[in-house]
Structures are given as structure tokens and as C-alpha cells.
Amino acid sequence: MNGYVEFESPEGDPIVVNVDRVNFVRRYRGGNDASAVNFEKGNYVVVRGSLTTVLKALQEA
């Protein structure tokens, strides 16, 4: 899956993110266990993982 990265939601549901659509990633409120992946139109999805882990996975795609 070139250009796509599979994450999990905080509840454990699978989420696939298209790396080309990501604008930025920020820490989601409530600690370092979740990150918010923001897209072009202000939409975001919350994924499980620290900011460093999520950024590394997106960078390697």
C-alpha cells in the first residue's frame, strides 16, 4: 500500500491514512497516547500512538 499507512483508533478500529492528504500531525488532548492527523479541509482523525511514532510511520510511507 504505497502512500498509505494503517493505524488504529484509540478504541482499536483500523484506520488507513493517505500520506499525500496529511497537512500536519499534532498531539491529541489527554496525553501522549493519541495523535490527531489533520487533513486539507480542517478534518482530522485521531489515531493511537505518540506524535513521534505517528510521524515516523508517515515519513516511511
Side-chain angles (χ1 to χ4, degrees):
M1 290 179 22
N2 194 10
Y4 292 89
V5 179
E6 187 171 342
F7 293 106
E8 287 186 356
S9 70
E11 294 82 27
D13 298 322
I15 297 174
V16 178
V17 173
N18 183 345
V19 177
D20 295 331
R21 297 269 195 203
V22 174
N23 274 352
F24 62 93
V25 179
R26 65 179 176 86
R27 185 177 58 86
Y28 190 67
R29 62 184 122 130
N32 291 329
D33 297 335
S35 299
V37 179
N38 287 269
F39 298 98
E40 295 155 344
K41 296 182 180 179
N43 299 324
Y44 69 92
V45 63
V46 178
V47 299
R48 183 182 295 170
S50 67
L51 187 60
T52 305
T53 305
V54 172
L55 286 173
K56 185 176 179 181
L58 290 171
Q59 192 174 38
E60 291 175 352

